[in-house]
Amino acid sequence: MSKKADKKELPKKGEEPKKEVKKPEAPPVESTKEEAKPAPKPEKAPKPEKKKKEEKGVFKLYKIEQDKLVRLRPICERCGPGYFMADHKNRYTCGHCGFTRYKPTKE
Ligand SMILES: [Zn+2]
């Protein structure tokens, strides 16, 4: 009995016995890089920079006169409302489509 049992237990050649090898898994890397950053001033709440940037540029394009909204830049004729044209000294240009309109020269 003991002999047979021994034979059965022997693995056949070329057939690897199933090993339950647990790979040494790398521990989940929880980077603590954020902590390394210089902490922002606690008084100021973190604001999305994009929004701030947008407001900064837009306010130059509008002006309120007597409860009316006046656009300081012309609107691109090609692109339609929403696309302002850049103000140059003798012309307006659209950065979206490249349309250029020369300012009327008053002399
Ligand atoms: Zn345009």
Side-chain angles (χ1 to χ4, degrees), residues 25-60:
E25 288 181 23
V29 181
E30 289 180 16
S31 62
T32 53
K33 282 182 182 177
E34 287 185 25
E35 290 180 15
K37 286 181 183 175
K41 292 179 183 177
E43 290 182 10
K44 284 185 179 180
K47 290 177 185 176
E49 288 182 19
K50 276 190 180 178
K51 201 175 181 181
K52 200 177 176 184
K53 208 172 184 180
E54 201 176 293
E55 286 173 357
K56 201 175 179 182
V58 165
F59 84 95
K60 286 189 253 175

Side-chain angles (χ1 to χ4, degrees), residues 76 78-79 83 94 96-99:
C76 177
R78 275 193 210 165
C79 300
Y83 291 93
C94 173
H96 188 71
C97 67
F99 180 76

